[in-house]
Amino acid sequence: SSSDSSRSPRSGRSRRDARKRRRRSESRDSSRSRRSGGRSHTRRDLDREERKSRAHSSEKRRSRREKHRAKKERRRERGHKKKEKRKKEKGSDPSGVCRSYGEWGILQETDIYRKDAEFQAWLMDVKKMDPETAFQRDRKRWFQDYMEDYNTCTLPSMKYVNLDKFEKEAARKRIAKERKRE
C-alpha cells in the first residue's frame, strides 16, 4: 500500500497518457509506411520529395512549352516560305527588291487607252468586274485605282504592267516545260 500511496493519481495518468501517445505515434508511423511503400518518412523528407516532384513537373511543362514554341516557329517559317514562293510564281516583284515610286513609269489619266489591255486584265482579275458592262465613269474611277497601284509599283503581278511581255514570257516557259518532258 506504501507503493500505492507513493503514486499519485496524477503520475498514473501521465504514464497512461505516455503509453497512449506512443501507441498513436506508432500507428501514425505504420500508416505512413503503408502509404509510402514501406518507408517511413518525416515531414521534412516528404516536403523535400514534394519539392523535387514539383520541380520535375515544372521542368516538364517548360520543355513542353519550348517544344510547342519551336513547332509554331517552324510552321510560321513554312508558311512564310510558301507565301514567298506564291509571290514569286505570281510575278509580283520578280527581283525580290522593294520597288520605288514610278519605277515602271508614271501613268496619267490620258494613258487609259495606252494601257487598256493591262487595265482590263487587272479589272477582271483583281476587281472581279467585267469591263464591257461597266459605265465610263466607273471605268475612270477604277483606272484611278489601277494608276495608283501602277505608279507605286504595288500591282500583284507583272501581267498588269506589260501584258505582251508577260504573255511572251509565259509562252516561253510553257515551251521550255514541254521540252523537259520530252
Side-chain angles (χ1 to χ4, degrees), residues 54-66:
R54 281 183 191 160
H56 183 67
S57 64
S58 68
E59 286 173 19
K60 276 184 175 179
R61 271 183 263 133
R62 196 175 305 119
S63 70
R64 265 187 254 133
R65 264 188 249 129
E66 288 169 2

Side-chain angles (χ1 to χ4, degrees), residues 34-83:
R34 270 184 257 127
R35 273 185 266 145
S36 63
R39 293 173 291 165
S40 120
H41 293 290
T42 64
R43 177 171 270 166
R44 189 179 300 155
D45 290 338
L46 291 173
D47 290 344
R48 193 176 308 134
E49 283 183 21
E50 194 174 313
R51 275 186 267 135
K52 278 183 185 176
S53 69
R54 281 183 191 160
H56 183 67
S57 64
S58 68
E59 286 173 19
K60 276 184 175 179
R61 271 183 263 133
R62 196 175 305 119
S63 70
R64 265 187 254 133
R65 264 188 249 129
E66 288 169 2
K67 283 179 186 176
H68 184 69
R69 282 187 196 128
K71 194 174 183 180
K72 253 185 170 177
E73 185 65 31
R74 283 193 303 271
R75 262 193 228 132
R76 194 177 324 129
E77 282 296 316
R78 235 182 282 135
H80 182 67
K81 285 178 184 176
K82 284 181 183 178
K83 280 183 186 177

